[in-house]
Amino acid sequence: MGQVLCCIQVDQSNVAMTEKFGRFNDVLEPGCHCLPWIFGYKVAGNLSLRVQKLDVRCETKTKDNVFVTVIASVQYRAILEKAMDAFYKLSNTREQIQAYVFDVIRSSVPKMNLDDFFEQKNDVARAVEEEFEKVMTNYGFEIVQTLIVDIEPVETVKRAMNEINAAARMRVATNDKAEAEKILQIKRAEGEAEAKYLSGLGIARQRQAIVDGLRDSVLAFSDNVPGTTAREVMDMVLVTQYFDTMKDIGASSKSSAVFIPHGPGAVRDVAEQIRNGLLQAQAL
């Protein structure tokens, strides 16, 4: 009905290209327009002014010879003032943009190592955007934004990178565990040293108490029994301790201690050997 009345409608965010007898005539903006087709006017086509997105997958190689698949997202739109160039100069806009993305990525990525590429992917995106701005403006398009949305190394490289990361974390964990065991052993050694020190103090005090008790016993016995010597008193004390020890051994059914020789007369021999050993030590 609109064509019969020579009226056409252009939707919002679109423009229409009109021709007169096959030659470009005008750009019609959104709204209703009168287009007398009987005088050779016609609509050649519509051009969207909305922002469009194109995802490009590009396979390339890094400086350290790792093949990666780069996924770039290009957001672009037609410029209203250059709508005629955008409509007539390019036959396939998306393929043209894709070709420029391939060219920029394949000339930029081979200059970087894989790790550097992950860190500097924004620099690659800016390089793509700057190259588009210089070229696509002549064709009536502007680049809104370019993003490197994903970097996909080959599967074997992914596994190798994961294994390297896992090995590094395992090395850190092993070092931490070794440090913890080292601290534990140091603390255990310090505790054992302190325990032995305290045990030695206890044994020394015990022996000092025994010596003091024996000295007091000898002095008391000598005072109460005139004519006895300290040696005779010590022999009697040793005999008494010998019988006490034998009594304790006999009272225990599971005792495995045996004195050899174990006769009562052997106590004097033991005491004599001890005294002789002390006297020889003092002589040396």
Side-chain angles (χ1 to χ4, degrees), residues 61-66 68 108-121 124 151 161:
K61 182 175 72 70
T62 61
K63 186 177 181 179
D64 49 353
N65 297 321
V66 177
V68 295
S108 300
V109 175
K111 300 176 183 178
M112 305 178 182
N113 292 325
L114 181 60
D115 293 338
D116 296 335
F117 183 30
F118 275 101
E119 296 176 358
Q120 303 174 17
K121 65 177 184 176
V124 177
I151 302 171
M161 293 175 68

Side-chain angles (χ1 to χ4, degrees), residues 16 20 28 43 70 79 112 146 274:
K20 182 179 181 180
L28 301 182
V43 176
V70 182
I79 304 173
M112 305 178 182
T146 303
I274 293 174

Side-chain angles (χ1 to χ4, degrees), residues 230-257:
R231 178 175 180 179
E232 293 174 345
V233 175
M234 287 299 301
D235 290 341
M236 185 184 66
V237 171
L238 289 175
V239 171
T240 303
Q241 289 183 347
Y242 172 80
F243 281 114
D244 291 339
T245 302
M246 295 301 294
K247 178 180 177 183
D248 293 337
I249 293 173
S252 177
S253 61
K254 297 181 180 180
S255 177
S256 59

Side-chain angles (χ1 to χ4, degrees), residues 7-283:
C7 294
I8 64 168
Q9 172 185 317
V10 180
D11 295 334
Q12 183 66 33
S13 298
N14 288 272
V15 292
M17 301 296 151
T18 62
E19 296 177 350
K20 182 179 181 180
F21 295 113
R23 183 177 181 179
F24 172 75
N25 179 64
D26 195 9
V27 178
L28 301 182
E29 298 187 9
C32 182
H33 302 272
C34 179
L35 194 67
W37 56 270
I38 57 176
F39 296 112
Y41 291 96
K42 72 172 185 176
V43 176
N46 295 319
L47 179 66
S48 175
L49 300 178
R50 294 187 178 94
V51 176
Q52 302 180 60
K53 186 183 78 165
L54 175 63
D55 291 332
V56 181
R57 296 178 65 90
C58 176
E59 186 177 7
T60 184
K61 182 175 72 70
T62 61
K63 186 177 181 179
D64 49 353
N65 297 321
V66 177
F67 284 90
V68 295
T69 299
V70 182
I71 302 177
S73 179
V74 181
Q75 299 175 2
Y76 66 97
R77 65 185 173 190
I79 304 173
L80 178 61
E81 293 77 11
K82 296 184 177 183
M84 184 187 73
D85 294 336
F87 186 80
Y88 286 101
K89 284 189 175 182
L90 291 178
S91 61
N92 193 322
T93 306
R94 298 177 71 87
E95 288 187 1
Q96 189 70 26
I97 292 176
Q98 182 173 322
Y100 279 112
V101 172
F102 283 171
D103 180 67
V104 175
I105 289 179
R106 286 175 177 169
S107 63
S108 300
V109 175
K111 300 176 183 178
M112 305 178 182
N113 292 325
L114 181 60
D115 293 338
D116 296 335
F117 183 30
F118 275 101
E119 296 176 358
Q120 303 174 17
K121 65 177 184 176
N122 292 334
D123 296 339
V124 177
R126 280 195 296 271
V128 174
E129 188 171 340
E130 291 172 358
E131 187 68 22
F132 281 177
E133 287 292 341
K134 292 187 294 184
V135 177
M136 297 303 293
T137 304
N138 297 327
Y139 296 106
F141 288 93
E142 66 174 351
I143 304 302
V144 178
Q145 193 171 19
T146 303
L147 302 173
I148 303 297
V149 296
D150 198 8
I151 302 171
E152 297 179 355
V154 294
E155 191 62 31
T156 54
V157 175
K158 283 185 180 180
R159 287 198 299 268
M161 293 175 68
N162 291 333
E163 290 175 359
I164 292 173
N165 188 21
R169 293 181 181 275
M170 185 64 69
R171 184 167 59 252
V172 173
T174 302
N175 290 336
D176 292 343
K177 183 179 179 181
E179 287 294 331
E181 292 180 353
K182 174 183 176 183
I183 294 173
L184 183 61
Q185 292 179 0
I186 291 175
K187 293 299 182 182
R188 185 184 295 115
E190 291 177 352
E192 291 177 355
E194 185 68 19
K196 290 179 180 179
Y197 172 74
L198 295 176
S199 177
L201 288 179
I203 293 174
R205 291 174 181 174
Q206 179 186 21
R207 291 176 178 175
Q208 183 64 39
I210 292 173
V211 171
D212 293 341
L214 290 174
R215 184 181 63 252
D216 294 340
S217 298
V218 170
L219 292 176
F221 194 88
S222 299
D223 292 339
N224 295 326
V225 182
T228 59
T229 63
R231 178 175 180 179
E232 293 174 345
V233 175
M234 287 299 301
D235 290 341
M236 185 184 66
V237 171
L238 289 175
V239 171
T240 303
Q241 289 183 347
Y242 172 80
F243 281 114
D244 291 339
T245 302
M246 295 301 294
K247 178 180 177 183
D248 293 337
I249 293 173
S252 177
S253 61
K254 297 181 180 180
S255 177
S256 59
V258 177
F259 284 96
I260 299 176
H262 62 280
V267 176
R268 182 179 298 274
D269 296 335
V270 172
E272 189 68 27
Q273 292 174 11
I274 293 174
R275 281 192 291 271
N276 291 336
L278 293 175
L279 292 175
Q280 291 176 5
Q282 291 176 358

